[in-house]
Amino acid sequence: MAVLHKATVVFLPLFFAAAAAQFFQNPYMGGFSFDNGFGGAPAKKGDYETHYKGKWELVCNNSGVSAMHLVLMPNNKAIMFDTTSSGPSNIKLPPGHCRIYKEKNETKKDCWAHGIEYDIHTGFIRTLKSFTHAQSNRSRPTSGVQLVHFLQMGLLCRSVGSDNGGRAARYLSPCDTCDWTEYPTALSVERWYASQQILPDGSFIVVGGRRQFSYEYVPKPGQSNPTNFKLPFLLQTSDAVEDNLYPFVHLSTDGNLFIFANNRSILLDPKFNSIVRELPQLKGGARNYPGSAMSALLPINLHTQTTPPPARVLICGGTPHESAKLAVDGHFLPALRTCGSISITSPTGKWRVETMPTARVMGDMLLLPTADLLLINGAKKGAAGWGSATDPNLEPVMYRPRKPRAKRFMKLRPSAIPRMYHSTSAVLPDGRILVAGSNTNRVYKFSGVAYPTELRVEKFSPPYLDPHLALYRPLIVSSFERTVVGHGEAFSLRFALADVVVELSDLKLTMYAPPFTTHGYSMNQRLLILRAMDLVMVGPTMYEITWVAPSTAAIAPPGYYLVFLVHRGVPSEGIWIRIRIQ
Ligand SMILES: *[C@@H]1O[C@H](CO)[C@@H](O)[C@H](O)[C@H]1NC(C)=O
Ligand SMILES: *[C@@H]1O[C@H](CO)[C@@H](O)[C@H](O)[C@H]1NC(C)=O
Ligand SMILES: *[C@@H]1O[C@H](CO)[C@@H](O)[C@H](O)[C@H]1NC(C)=O
Ligand SMILES: *[C@@H]1O[C@H](CO)[C@@H](O)[C@H](O)[C@H]1NC(C)=O
């Protein structure tokens, strides 16, 4: 049984008394944000100003399994897993649940867990079974990390990858006793380090993988793909050290797929399996594994007359082309500091290059409830791979696309814990960021190395969680949890906001698809700025806002989303809704 605790969704510090006095004294009031037409209706009053650089909290000393892969499920459980080839973890499977496997004619038993479910509210950990087919193929040292690709859809999470299970699709539902269901021969070929993306009809495409210059669509459970679609672009973008794995795949608002590998990108029409066009090259170096940059589809603003709504992709960091090769010999080149962004809906889109305050490889790029972005984790030198990086980048950076160029990046409070290769992070419904993992070693190593395997889990509070702004945080009171929403349908949502006069232009509704994150790439992540229609006051501190769900499945593919109400830059807690299959 899936259990969702409504009560956990609503706890906000609302100070009813003395609020009016604070309203006038608060030094954080009154900042104006410049709107460059990207990311929301112009806010008349502007966002509340804050100089808060964030806060780190250590929430778990021992997650048992290091979070090489991380996904937040709609029952507020975070799934963390690595690979069975990572050796003994720090948490055992329950008695009688060990993984039995064959290695060189010998029957072996592994009783260490390689996947857990972590309750984001209570910290409770439940082990998940290990994949029966996931074994290390030791005859291929460079693929000793058996990667599992994870597909998230509606109630289900699916994954593909992993040695004998390299063709497998795996499913996991969000419930207190659910575990993996495996279909070992779903894909036509083994796909290590491939990317996946949900499509408008709710199916998934899987693109690339080591020495796989093709893509395919995940078949229905129990079926096997006899063949796949060739994509020579993936062969052309493969360097001596690859630099084209985990290609960045984003579903554009017109239904085309943006596919970026190394320093080139194409638009693919999945309906006809045809390449629409190639976009200009992005200068500066390698952006895909092991040159692991970060990438996201920038927030899609639905307050627009344009059909389809404009879509832009952002790519930040990465490495020079030589990095991964030199890192193997212990020579660590500085990572890239450049970001490129490009319109993928305009046929004349060109890269616009900006510079981050610090270099970053293997970082995560997360879309925040406010429609800003967070760059977190990773290293300043080296590349992705075991022991291939140094100089952890401890300092998250916020990127605010609606600010003038010179003000877009903001450095935030650093963590004390290095998070490099195999680290992950996830946006939580309360607006904090779950930060986990990091293992630059082939197997679990807790001492005797520069960067031991990390089992500590942190939560990071971004600037919008400044305690001084808590007063302005809206509280969604509608019991909306898990509502199923159809494309283009109108909805109203009640919220409480004490002693602050609000107008429609002070508010922004955002809708966030939580990604599956691994190796510095958050797949299937998207954030939509919804069209808000009307605002009425229904009580002394109570309002009702009417909004319209995204009009098409290319804009908002089916599945679970978190809806946030943002009041002048201060987000409410998110509530889960589900967009139904059209
Ligand atoms: C983690 O361990 C430290 C040191 O032993 C301790 O002070 C802290 O309370 C622990 N934190 C949690 C969340 O268990
Ligand atoms: C495995 O067993 C088979 C059949 O008994 C034998 O022919 C083969 O040499 C064995 N291989 C190894 C690696 O022990
Ligand atoms: C290991 O990889 C090699 C090279 O790709 C392949 O020929 C072999 O069949 C694989 N072994 C197993 C057990 O999958
Ligand atoms: C893209 O990368 C290739 C190496 O894979 C390099 O030869 C080429 O010059 C790069 N293009 C640009 C514009 O930097």
Side-chain angles (χ1 to χ4, degrees):
M1 259 298 294
V3 183
L4 275 158
H5 307 281
K6 280 196 183 107
T8 58
V9 182
V10 283
F11 72 99
L12 281 177
L14 284 176
F15 307 107
F16 294 94
Q22 278 191 23
F23 182 83
F24 293 107
Q25 286 165 12
N26 195 305
Y28 296 86
M29 291 276 305
F32 281 80
S33 81
F34 171 88
D35 195 298
N36 65 359
F38 185 78
K44 250 194 261 162
K45 301 194 194 101
D47 289 351
Y48 292 109
E49 283 279 310
T50 170
H51 302 287
Y52 187 69
K53 299 286 184 211
K55 183 175 83 175
W56 287 92
E57 293 160 85
L58 180 63
V59 294
C60 174
N61 276 317
N62 177 15
S63 55
V65 167
S66 191
M68 181 191 290
H69 308 80
L70 176 64
V71 66
L72 176 69
M73 300 284 267
N75 58 350
N76 292 327
K77 305 278 167 64
I79 306 298
M80 304 179 184
F81 59 100
D82 61 5
T83 68
T84 50
S85 59
S86 313
S89 64
N90 204 28
I91 187 169
K92 287 230 164 140
L93 291 162
H97 287 74
C98 300
R99 182 176 65 95
I100 312 290
Y101 63 100
K102 276 219 152 72
E103 199 175 82
K104 292 184 185 149
N105 285 3
E106 263 181 82
T107 300
K108 294 198 167 174
K109 193 158 116 174
D110 178 8
C111 294
W112 297 99
H114 290 283
I116 60 147
E117 179 197 76
Y118 172 83
D119 186 310
I120 61 167
H121 297 302
T122 64
F124 182 80
I125 289 172
R126 178 170 73 98
T127 56
L128 297 171
K129 74 178 179 197
S130 297
F131 308 130
T132 47
H133 297 270
Q135 282 179 42
S136 159
N137 184 340
R138 304 214 180 269
S139 65
R140 286 185 297 166
T142 52
S143 62
V145 176
Q146 308 302 328
L147 295 177
V148 182
H149 307 264
F150 195 104
L151 307 169
Q152 194 199 2
M153 186 200 83
L155 276 169
L156 298 172
C157 279
R158 309 169 174 184
S159 68
V160 286
S162 201
D163 206 55
N164 289 338
R167 295 171 51 204
R170 302 191 176 90
Y171 298 72
L172 181 67
S173 299
C175 90
D176 290 351
T177 54
C178 292
D179 216 317
W180 298 101
T181 310
E182 271 188 295
Y183 296 93
T185 56
L187 301 182
S188 66
V189 289
E190 291 188 357
R191 294 193 184 272
W192 308 96
Y193 306 69
S195 298
Q196 44 95 357
Q197 167 69 50
I198 190 168
L199 299 171
D201 65 359
S203 66
F204 286 87
I205 188 170
V206 186
V207 181
R210 176 155 285 160
R211 292 187 287 279
Q212 298 300 353
F213 311 116
S214 64
Y215 64 90
E216 60 190 293
Y217 302 93
V218 177
K220 290 199 168 59
Q223 296 182 359
S224 298
N225 277 347
T227 182
N228 53 52
F229 297 90
K230 303 296 169 228
L231 192 56
F233 164 78
L234 291 175
L235 175 62
Q236 293 155 16
T237 49
S238 186
D239 277 353
V241 292
E242 300 176 310
D243 280 334
N244 73 338
L245 298 180
Y246 287 118
F248 302 134
V249 182
H250 300 291
L251 174 66
S252 184
T253 49
D254 58 11
N256 288 327
L257 289 164
F258 170 84
I259 303 176
F260 186 98
N262 197 335
N263 58 9
R264 288 171 55 187
S265 51
I266 54 168
L267 283 174
L268 176 84
D269 182 342
K271 285 190 288 296
F272 300 100
N273 293 300
S274 59
I275 293 173
V276 180
R277 64 170 191 272
E278 175 155 1
L279 287 78
Q281 295 193 5
L282 177 57
K283 287 196 188 78
R287 311 280 179 167
N288 295 86
Y289 182 94
S292 303
M294 309 162 270
S295 175
L297 193 58
L298 284 169
I300 297 160
N301 185 6
L302 302 180
H303 285 271
T304 173
Q305 302 301 316
T306 319
T307 316
R312 279 189 87 81
V313 165
L314 178 68
I315 294 173
C316 289
T319 67
H321 284 283
E322 315 77 61
S323 271
K325 197 161 175 287
L326 293 173
V328 174
D329 300 325
H331 187 59
F332 304 110
L333 293 186
L336 301 182
R337 273 181 69 190
T338 51
C339 293
S341 72
I342 192 165
S343 166
I344 57 170
T345 39
S346 156
T348 54
K350 291 204 170 50
W351 290 101
R352 217 158 56 191
V353 176
E354 294 173 84
T355 308
M356 298 185 284
T358 52
R360 202 179 299 260
V361 57
M362 297 180 285
D364 287 334
M365 182 183 277
L366 296 174
L367 293 159
L368 297 172
T370 51
D372 293 321
L373 288 90
L374 186 71
L375 318 181
I376 193 167
N377 296 350
K380 292 183 190 164
K381 284 183 180 161
W386 291 311
S388 286
T390 182
D391 207 352
N393 193 335
L394 300 169
E395 211 168 22
V397 165
M398 196 152 73
Y399 177 75
R400 300 167 295 180
R402 287 157 295 141
K403 294 261 185 203
R405 267 179 94 89
K407 292 193 169 166
R408 288 196 189 140
F409 290 105
M410 183 173 139
K411 292 209 270 183
L412 303 178
R413 190 176 307 284
S415 167
I417 303 177
R419 306 272 185 188
M420 301 198 289
Y421 194 41
H422 294 152
S423 66
T424 47
S425 57
V427 174
L428 299 178
D430 69 5
R432 285 184 290 178
I433 311 301
L434 193 71
V435 182
S438 193
N439 185 12
T440 72
N441 315 296
R442 271 168 201 265
V443 293
Y444 280 79
K445 276 214 171 106
F446 300 114
S447 60
V449 283
Y451 300 106
T453 306
E454 195 49 71
L455 295 175
R456 287 173 291 178
V457 180
E458 294 168 286
K459 285 182 182 171
F460 177 67
S461 299
Y464 51 69
L465 293 176
D466 179 350
H468 286 100
L469 296 181
L471 173 65
Y472 310 116
R473 212 175 176 195
L475 171 68
I476 297 176
V477 296
S478 291
S479 148
F480 224 70
E481 198 72 335
R482 291 195 129 184
T483 300
V484 180
V485 172
H487 289 101
E489 285 177 12
F491 289 86
S492 28
L493 199 68
R494 283 199 176 191
F495 65 95
L497 198 52
D499 291 309
V500 180
V501 178
V502 276
E503 297 163 73
L504 192 56
S505 61
D506 299 334
L507 300 168
K508 187 159 63 187
L509 264 163
T510 59
M511 196 174 106
Y512 179 67
F516 165 64
T517 296
T518 189
H519 289 77
Y521 180 34
S522 295
M523 305 174 200
N524 284 318
Q525 179 176 231
R526 70 209 282 124
L527 186 125
L528 307 161
I529 300 167
L530 300 174
R531 206 148 57 85
M533 306 289 284
D534 194 24
L535 179 74
V536 287
M537 202 166 183
V538 292
T541 58
M542 196 69 74
Y543 298 82
E544 192 170 281
I545 188 166
T546 307
W547 55 281
V548 186
S551 56
T552 71
I555 300 171
Y560 279 98
Y561 290 80
L562 279 166
V563 170
F564 297 94
L565 180 63
V566 186
H567 169 226
R568 299 180 60 192
V570 186
S572 69
E573 285 208 19
I575 52 169
W576 289 102
I577 63 146
R578 185 155 69 87
I579 296 276
R580 90 163 57 92
I581 295 187
Q582 240 169 6

Coordinates of all heavy atoms in Angstrom, one line a residue, residues 135-140 143 163-164 190 211, ligand 3:
Q135 N 26.1 -8.3 -12.5 CA 27.4 -8.8 -12.1 C 28.4 -8.1 -12.8 O 28.2 -7.6 -13.9 CB 27.5 -10.3 -12.4 CG 26.8 -11.3 -11.5 CD 27.0 -12.7 -12.0 OE1 28.1 -13.1 -12.4 NE2 25.9 -13.4 -12.0
S136 N 29.6 -8.1 -12.2 CA 30.7 -7.4 -12.8 C 31.2 -8.2 -14.0 O 31.4 -9.4 -13.8 CB 31.8 -7.1 -11.8 OG 33.0 -6.9 -12.4
N137 N 31.5 -7.6 -15.1 CA 32.2 -8.4 -16.2 C 33.6 -8.0 -16.1 O 34.1 -7.0 -16.6 CB 31.6 -8.0 -17.5 CG 32.2 -8.8 -18.6 OD1 33.3 -9.4 -18.5 ND2 31.5 -8.8 -19.8
R138 N 34.4 -8.8 -15.4 CA 35.8 -8.5 -15.1 C 36.7 -8.5 -16.3 O 37.8 -8.1 -16.3 CB 36.3 -9.3 -13.9 CG 35.4 -9.2 -12.7 CD 36.1 -9.2 -11.4 NE 35.1 -9.1 -10.3 CZ 34.8 -8.0 -9.8 NH1 35.3 -6.8 -10.2 NH2 33.9 -7.9 -8.8
S139 N 36.2 -9.1 -17.4 CA 37.0 -9.2 -18.6 C 37.0 -7.8 -19.3 O 37.7 -7.6 -20.3 CB 36.5 -10.2 -19.5 OG 35.2 -9.9 -20.0
R140 N 36.2 -6.9 -18.8 CA 36.1 -5.6 -19.4 C 36.3 -4.6 -18.3 O 35.4 -4.0 -17.7 CB 34.7 -5.3 -20.0 CG 34.5 -6.0 -21.3 CD 33.1 -5.7 -21.9 NE 32.0 -6.0 -21.0 CZ 30.8 -5.6 -21.2 NH1 30.5 -4.7 -22.1 NH2 29.8 -6.0 -20.4
S143 N 34.4 -1.2 -17.9 CA 33.0 -1.2 -17.6 C 32.7 -2.0 -16.3 O 31.6 -2.5 -16.1 CB 32.2 -1.8 -18.7 OG 32.6 -3.1 -18.9
D163 N 25.4 -5.5 -17.0 CA 26.0 -6.7 -17.5 C 25.1 -7.7 -18.1 O 24.4 -7.5 -19.0 CB 26.8 -7.3 -16.3 CG 27.9 -8.2 -16.8 OD1 28.7 -7.7 -17.6 OD2 27.9 -9.4 -16.5
N164 N 25.0 -8.9 -17.5 CA 24.1 -9.9 -18.0 C 22.7 -9.3 -18.0 O 21.8 -9.7 -18.8 CB 24.0 -11.2 -17.1 CG 25.3 -11.9 -17.4 OD1 26.0 -11.8 -18.4 ND2 25.6 -12.8 -16.4
E190 N 23.1 -4.4 -25.0 CA 23.5 -3.9 -23.6 C 23.7 -2.4 -23.8 O 24.4 -2.0 -24.7 CB 24.7 -4.6 -23.2 CG 24.5 -6.0 -22.8 CD 25.8 -6.7 -22.2 OE1 26.8 -6.0 -22.0 OE2 25.7 -7.9 -21.8
R211 N 29.8 2.0 -26.8 CA 29.9 1.4 -28.1 C 28.5 1.0 -28.7 O 28.4 0.1 -29.5 CB 30.7 0.1 -28.0 CG 32.2 0.4 -27.7 CD 33.1 -0.8 -27.8 NE 32.9 -1.7 -26.6 CZ 33.5 -1.5 -25.4 NH1 34.3 -0.4 -25.3 NH2 33.3 -2.3 -24.5
Ligands
LIG3 C1 32.1 -9.7 -20.9 O1 32.4 -8.8 -21.9 C2 33.0 -9.4 -23.1 C3 33.4 -8.3 -24.0 O2 32.3 -7.5 -24.3 C4 32.0 -10.4 -23.7 O3 32.5 -11.0 -24.8 C5 31.6 -11.4 -22.6 O4 30.6 -12.3 -23.1 C6 31.1 -10.8 -21.4 N1 30.9 -11.8 -20.3 C7 29.8 -11.9 -19.7 C8 29.8 -12.9 -18.6 O5 28.8 -11.2 -19.9

